[in-house]
Amino acid sequence: MMRKHIYVLIEKAQEHDKLSKIYDWYIMGIAFVSIVPLMFREMNPYLSTLETVTVYLLFLDYVLRWMTHDYRVKKHSPWAFILYPFTPYAIMDILSILPSIGLLPKSFMILRLLRLTKIIHYSRSFQQVVNVFKNERKTLLSVLLIAVFYILVSALIMFVYEPKSTFDNFFDALYWATTALTTVGYGDVYPHTDVGKFISMISSLFGVAVIAMPAGIVTGGFLDEVHRDIARREEQHLKERQERESHEK
């Protein structure tokens, strides 16, 4: 029974589970604070202590999830514990911890940023954004393919028509086409011929449309996800009220 209580505590909080909500906020806070040492080039005793404390708290969370994974998968079998380290969240959790305890070289310290997945995992808003990208993945992929195709074509045309002094190689042309399409245009590489300038104008105009399409898709999908979430909560509240009324009768 103790493991069951731990599982309920560390999983995403239900609507009225205050203790589990506190744990959600606690683990998100620990995950955020744990990356503070990355903001400094030189460590000091305070940052070292902060890193040590937070990494062991995150490791404790990892252990608790491991020992209650059978409840999560609803299979009370030794395989539940054997397979847990190979699940996506478990892999990201352990990779974010290993550099801090010296089991990975310091060059892997950037993996500590994986701790931010804790915030994504627990935050309702982040989860809604993830759901939007999941639901609209086919449409967003179509837009991406259109953008990549246009970048390749415009880069190829520019590489053929522009003099060698403009683009040393095809990668430079791809770099220019990408910055032009996204309307960034750093100005370090630019066309010299009339054809190149015309393509540059078209790329800038086309880029506005390419950038606007995903923004509209994501915004519309996010609003739909928010409305679905509100509907689910209202349905849950109605169900709980009906259960209370039936018990009172």
Side-chain angles (χ1 to χ4, degrees):
M1 288 299 293
M2 177 62 71
R3 289 196 310 113
K4 181 64 178 293
H5 289 310
I6 293 174
Y7 167 73
V8 173
L9 175 67
I10 65 178
E11 279 300 294
K12 287 183 184 179
Q14 299 299 318
E15 194 66 29
H16 301 295
D17 193 344
K18 292 183 179 179
L19 191 60
S20 186
K21 281 185 178 180
I22 292 173
Y23 186 85
D24 291 356
W25 283 103
Y26 153 78
I27 203 67
M28 284 193 291
I30 292 296
F32 182 78
V33 171
S34 70
I35 67 167
V36 169
L38 284 176
M39 303 175 187
F40 299 86
R41 293 193 180 276
E42 295 183 3
M43 295 290 285
N44 58 52
Y46 298 106
L47 292 175
S48 297
T49 302
L50 181 65
E51 169 67 14
T52 302
V53 171
T54 55
V55 75
Y56 279 107
L57 289 174
L58 291 171
F59 184 68
L60 175 62
D61 178 75
Y62 177 86
V63 172
L64 293 177
R65 293 182 184 283
W66 195 348
M67 63 184 284
T68 59
H69 189 60
D70 55 332
Y71 287 102
R72 180 174 179 79
V73 296
K74 297 179 174 61
K75 291 182 180 179
H76 299 288
S77 161
W79 282 105
F81 304 104
I82 295 172
L83 295 176
Y84 175 74
F86 304 100
T87 58
Y89 271 114
I91 291 171
M92 287 188 287
D93 284 348
I94 199 65
L95 285 178
S96 70
I97 292 170
L98 291 180
S100 296
I101 58 179
L103 295 180
L104 282 178
K106 289 186 177 181
S107 57
F108 287 88
M109 282 297 183
I110 193 65
L111 291 177
R112 288 187 291 181
L113 288 176
L114 289 174
R115 298 171 190 175
L116 294 179
T117 57
K118 294 280 189 186
I119 299 175
I120 297 174
H121 179 68
Y122 281 106
S123 172
R124 186 187 299 273
S125 298
F126 274 113
Q127 196 60 49
Q128 288 174 337
V129 173
V130 171
N131 290 338
V132 169
F133 279 94
K134 189 184 298 182
N135 296 334
E136 305 293 342
R137 62 185 180 278
K138 291 183 179 179
T139 307
L140 292 173
L141 181 60
S142 299
V143 175
L144 177 62
L145 290 175
I146 292 171
V148 170
F149 178 76
Y150 183 80
I151 286 172
L152 288 172
V153 171
S154 59
L156 187 59
I157 295 173
M158 291 289 280
F159 188 68
V160 170
Y161 276 96
E162 286 293 309
K164 292 183 179 180
S165 59
T166 305
F167 302 114
D168 293 331
N169 50 60
F170 185 66
F171 182 78
D172 287 344
L174 280 176
Y175 164 75
W176 169 86
T178 304
T179 57
L181 183 68
T182 55
T183 68
V184 176
Y186 292 110
D188 52 344
V189 181
Y190 55 89
H192 294 85
T193 65
D194 291 337
V195 173
K197 291 176 182 178
F198 178 74
I199 295 173
S200 182
M201 289 188 291
I202 297 297
S203 295
S204 299
L205 293 173
F206 189 71
V208 173
V210 169
I211 298 300
M213 278 193 292
I217 293 168
V218 172
T219 302
F222 184 73
L223 290 175
D224 290 340
E225 187 65 27
V226 169
H227 292 153
R228 281 195 292 267
D229 188 54
I230 292 172
R232 281 195 296 266
R233 280 190 279 178
E234 288 178 349
E235 184 179 352
Q236 182 66 25
H237 287 318
L238 179 60
K239 184 178 179 181
E240 291 174 356
R241 188 175 66 181
Q242 290 173 346
E243 288 178 354
R244 285 197 302 268
E245 290 175 353
S246 63
H247 285 306
E248 290 174 357
K249 292 179 179 179

